Amino acid sequence: MANPFPIPLNALRAIEIVARRGALAPAAEELGVTIGAVSQHLRRAEDRLGMELFARTPQGIRPLPALMQVLPQLSGGFTQLQDGLASLTGAHEGVLNVTVGSVFASRWLIWRVNKFSALYPGLEMRLTVTGAMLDLGRPDIDCGIRYGDGTWPGVDVSLIGGQDYQPVCSPLIRDRVKSPADLAHVPVIADQTSMLDWPAWLKKAGLDPQMPLNGPVYSDASLAFDAAISGQGVLLAADMMTADAVSDGRLIRPFDLPVAGKRGYFLATAKGRREPKKLGFFRDWLAEEVPASVRGYVYQNVPNTATLAPFAE
């Protein structure tokens, strides 16, 4: 009887990851092998199937239409397998693994982890802080917080906030920024990692969208925030990320003129993945905590843990 599964499971996994991510390196990292080994997996699978799955181009490796047609089934199958094994073993049911960028982690989430932990005793939140867009299908990641327009392949998203943005600065330079036109005469901090749109804000303020802005340049968003707090200049930032600093007086919004952008912060999960209770708790908590923080409710009391039942999956 012919073998109904002529391709080893690791090779199938390599095919799925490379097709979804468009590169060999993510598959090599997840499988713990070399890029060359992943390439061999693909070649051997193609030989056994008697068909090409990928086009090798100068721009990189690209899945062919036949593979793209079955990719949702492959991805869904591996997701269900991972979820089934987790349910069988009870692994990580008391740990919520979240991948998040440095700004969201340092300016918002880290200050509220204790509140989440107090609400759900026994449920530990573990953060993977990175600027890289990690594969949310990995078994060691439950969800991610991503900033952008919400259109990422293979990902289900729900908006949690962060669309409104405007200039902020330290109270130390309040007297130098009495009107938007003053931006032509004060340092404006440039955050090279930012996706926020100075021209759109300048236009709303009635200024030339191409008005020259000059000031210190930072390639790290957290340093750009610290520069603004220290009085080095004016920074364009999402209201959600500056809410705490504004509430405690480290920053001010000199013009109180927010712009609603097309991007925001999204809770992201692998498409088709079963949502465990722990992720539902996190989703519900974000739905309450994000609006409260934007309104300036920063240091709310945590609940009395003695009255809360331990977390159970």
Side-chain angles (χ1 to χ4, degrees):
M1 181 177 178
N3 181 4
F5 301 107
I7 303 176
L9 190 62
N10 271 356
L12 278 177
R13 184 58 172 152
I15 291 168
E16 189 271 336
I17 297 172
V18 174
R20 179 163 42 84
R21 300 290 298 278
L24 299 174
E29 179 183 358
E30 185 162 335
L31 296 174
V33 298
T34 65
I35 290 177
V38 172
S39 183
Q40 288 183 13
H41 274 316
L42 304 189
R43 285 293 188 189
R44 289 171 181 170
E46 290 174 324
D47 289 343
R48 291 191 180 191
L49 290 172
M51 63 183 296
E52 287 193 341
L53 301 175
F54 296 90
R56 281 76 175 176
T57 74
Q59 291 73 39
I61 190 165
R62 298 289 183 268
L64 291 171
L67 176 55
M68 289 302 297
Q69 187 174 355
V70 301
L71 181 59
Q73 295 168 275
L74 279 177
S75 298
F78 279 110
T79 295
Q80 291 179 25
L81 180 60
Q82 290 167 358
D83 289 343
L85 288 173
S87 297
L88 180 65
T89 62
H92 306 304
E93 64 180 19
V95 177
L96 179 68
N97 292 288
V98 185
T99 175
V100 63
S102 63
V103 174
F104 190 90
S106 65
R107 299 297 166 180
W108 194 88
L109 185 56
I110 195 64
W111 303 101
R112 294 168 171 81
V113 169
N114 65 325
K115 298 169 71 175
F116 179 80
S117 299
L119 283 171
Y120 302 105
L123 177 55
E124 178 187 353
M125 184 187 298
R126 293 182 184 172
L127 302 181
T128 300
V129 181
T130 175
M133 196 169 289
L134 298 185
D135 181 2
L136 297 178
R138 286 169 38 172
D140 59 338
I141 294 178
D142 294 303
C143 63
I145 304 292
R146 291 182 175 177
Y147 183 82
D149 60 9
T151 56
W152 298 285
V155 173
D156 289 324
V157 299
S158 55
L159 181 67
I160 62 174
Q163 306 100 305
D164 290 353
Y165 64 91
Q166 61 183 304
V168 292
C169 67
S170 167
L172 297 172
I173 62 172
R174 180 198 308 265
D175 293 340
R176 300 176 61 189
V177 283
K178 295 181 178 179
S179 75
D182 292 333
L183 292 172
H185 310 294
V186 297
V188 174
I189 298 167
D191 173 9
Q192 292 181 322
T193 68
S194 177
M195 299 183 192
L196 302 180
D197 190 349
W198 263 116
W201 188 89
L202 292 170
K203 183 177 180 180
K204 182 168 183 178
L207 299 172
D208 178 0
Q210 303 306 318
M211 184 178 82
L213 301 173
N214 300 294
V217 178
Y218 290 92
S219 60
D220 181 280
S222 291
L223 291 179
F225 267 88
D226 290 337
I229 290 170
S230 69
Q232 292 184 33
V234 179
L235 176 69
L236 193 64
D239 286 0
M240 180 180 171
M241 292 297 99
T242 61
D244 291 359
V246 169
S247 294
D248 64 24
R250 287 174 295 153
L251 290 174
I252 61 169
R253 296 169 182 154
F255 315 120
D256 194 19
L257 188 63
V259 167
K262 297 180 180 179
R263 299 181 178 92
Y265 286 97
F266 290 83
L267 178 63
T269 57
K271 187 174 289 293
R273 192 168 191 174
R274 178 184 68 89
E275 180 168 306
K277 286 184 179 179
K278 60 184 179 182
L279 182 53
F281 292 147
F282 187 53
R283 185 187 301 278
D284 293 343
W285 177 75
L286 287 170
E288 292 188 6
E289 190 65 26
V290 170
S293 70
V294 174
R295 292 194 301 268
Y297 303 145
V298 183
Y299 303 114
Q300 298 174 348
N301 292 327
V302 298
N304 182 353
T305 57
T307 65
L308 297 174
F311 165 76
E313 175 65 28

